[in-house]
Amino acid sequence: MHKVVWDMDPGIDDAVALILALRSPEVQILGITTVAGNARVEMTSANARRVLEHLNVDSIPVVMGAANPLNHPLEDALSYHGPDGLGNCNLPPPRMPLHPSKAWDFLARLVLDAPGEITLVATGSLTNVAHAFSLHPELPGLLAGLVLMGGAYGLTPYGTGNCTPHAEFNIWQDPEAAHMVFNSGADIFAVGLDVTMDPAACLNRGHLERINARHTPAAHLAAQLVEYEVKYQGCCRMHDPLALATLLDASLLDFALTKVEVVEGNGWDRGVTRVLPSDSSGLIHVACAVDGPRFLGLFLSRILEEQDG
Ligand code: BDR
Ligand code: CA
């Protein structure tokens, strides 16, 4: 069982990943911190709570974090995720209050109190994580690991940009934060577009029909989220669920151990994640292959509340 603190910016795929996590015995979510990214941070903070409340979960604190990237203005992705950030899913506004801490203080406190035990999952831009690491330079070494969705590494034909021709959205949004985190010494597992854009790991209309046929709160919400993306994009990319899947079954993905440069600033190559010839220092694990059918099988079994397989 992985004890997890999760930094997210829901977002359709963050929300789908959260539903998956809540249906999975391999992870225990100790807290959620929210960051601006797919939407303003007030909206991502509301969306995390809307999903939790829909699933009757009131034991996971939601803690608001950064409203803006470190050096750039926020550029949201509501044109992709819908005006409410959750594919117009019609969930009511949240009733549960936000936790009173700041995200980076909350995150740091959890890790400092349980050194070596907490895995940080990050499925938004890395602003909150960078704040926590700069306030507590010992933090990266005290994590059990850091699993993140971000980057495009050119390790497969799918590993090109989705935000610019060269950069992935989470890293592009706050490249300075990503640069700091990638060079922090944390034990990083980066799941990028190389695997999340693999068509074998995407949900299609056939999958949607199966989810739609199941009448549970989890399946109902998942179907609404997936349907919005299938309707407008043709299929539903599983970016953030694939990052989480690293903790559910590590054998679903292959990782290359490599050094990565993150391009900062605001030039044409902003947010590019470049694989460098490896020396022995500062290496991170970068996802380079996924068993799409087996991942989708696991995903559907959890959402549909069946046995795995
Ligand atoms: C990432 O960007 C966001 O829009 C998604 O939630 C995901 O985390 C994919 O590039
Ligand atoms: Ca996300």
Side-chain angles (χ1 to χ4, degrees):
M1 155 97 76
H2 300 275
K3 292 183 185 170
V4 162
V5 57
W6 190 342
D7 192 74
M8 62 168 68
D9 65 336
I12 289 176
D13 59 325
D14 302 76
V16 172
L18 179 55
I19 299 170
L20 173 61
L22 293 170
R23 306 272 336 125
S24 295
E26 297 86 355
V27 293
Q28 179 190 10
I29 305 171
L30 303 180
I32 290 173
T33 56
T34 52
V35 66
N38 287 325
R40 288 167 56 85
V41 73
E42 292 79 8
M43 186 180 277
T44 62
S45 305
N47 285 349
R49 290 175 293 155
R50 291 166 80 202
V51 173
L52 292 176
E53 283 176 18
H54 178 75
L55 299 179
N56 270 324
V57 177
D58 59 10
S59 54
I60 300 177
V62 175
V63 195
M64 185 148 70
N68 290 295
L70 297 182
N71 284 3
H72 301 279
L74 175 69
E75 299 217 12
D76 70 46
L78 293 181
S79 60
Y80 191 96
H81 293 268
D84 68 344
L86 292 181
N88 270 337
C89 69
N90 284 323
L91 290 180
R95 292 181 311 273
M96 71 188 257
L98 284 166
H99 188 282
S101 296
K102 271 318 241 185
W104 38 90
D105 294 331
F106 176 88
L107 194 160
R109 182 45 49 211
L110 271 184
V111 178
L112 295 170
D113 286 348
E117 286 182 28
I118 310 288
T119 300
L120 175 55
V121 176
T123 57
S125 53
L126 291 163
T127 319
N128 290 339
V129 181
H131 281 307
F133 285 6
S134 62
L135 286 167
H136 302 274
E138 71 279 30
L139 218 55
L142 298 178
L143 289 168
L146 167 50
V147 177
L148 64 90
M149 192 286 137
Y153 302 89
L155 297 175
T156 75
Y158 315 110
T160 59
N162 64 351
C163 176
T164 71
H166 312 284
E168 183 278 329
F169 178 77
N170 288 339
I171 304 296
W172 180 90
Q173 182 78 250
D174 197 341
E176 285 71 26
H179 186 272
M180 182 191 297
V181 171
F182 276 54
N183 289 288
S184 67
D187 187 19
I188 295 179
F189 288 78
V191 176
L193 301 178
D194 306 72
V195 293
T196 70
M197 294 297 285
D198 185 332
C202 293
L203 291 173
N204 59 31
R205 285 178 201 281
H207 301 121
L208 175 59
E209 272 171 33
R210 286 180 60 190
I211 304 172
N212 248 325
R214 188 89 171 98
H215 300 293
T216 61
H220 180 68
L221 178 56
Q224 283 185 298
L225 294 164
V226 169
E227 187 160 16
Y228 186 88
E229 197 167 323
V230 168
K231 182 172 169 194
Y232 290 105
Q233 310 294 334
C235 71
C236 182
R237 306 285 179 195
M238 300 290 274
H239 303 292
D240 296 343
L242 274 163
L244 182 82
T246 305
L247 301 181
L248 307 186
D249 179 351
S251 74
L252 292 170
L253 296 143
D254 291 338
F255 288 89
L257 191 58
T258 182
K259 199 168 172 68
V260 171
E261 175 194 14
V262 181
V263 179
E264 300 175 273
N266 205 14
W268 67 270
D269 53 355
R270 169 178 169 180
V272 165
T273 43
R274 199 170 282 137
V275 169
L276 299 179
S278 298
D279 55 28
S280 54
S281 64
L283 304 180
I284 68 169
H285 304 266
V286 178
C288 56
V290 58
D291 186 337
R294 209 154 63 77
F295 162 71
L296 291 177
L298 175 69
F299 174 80
L300 289 168
S301 74
R302 296 288 165 86
I303 299 297
L304 304 176
E305 300 174 64
E306 296 163 344
Q307 296 298 313
D308 288 359

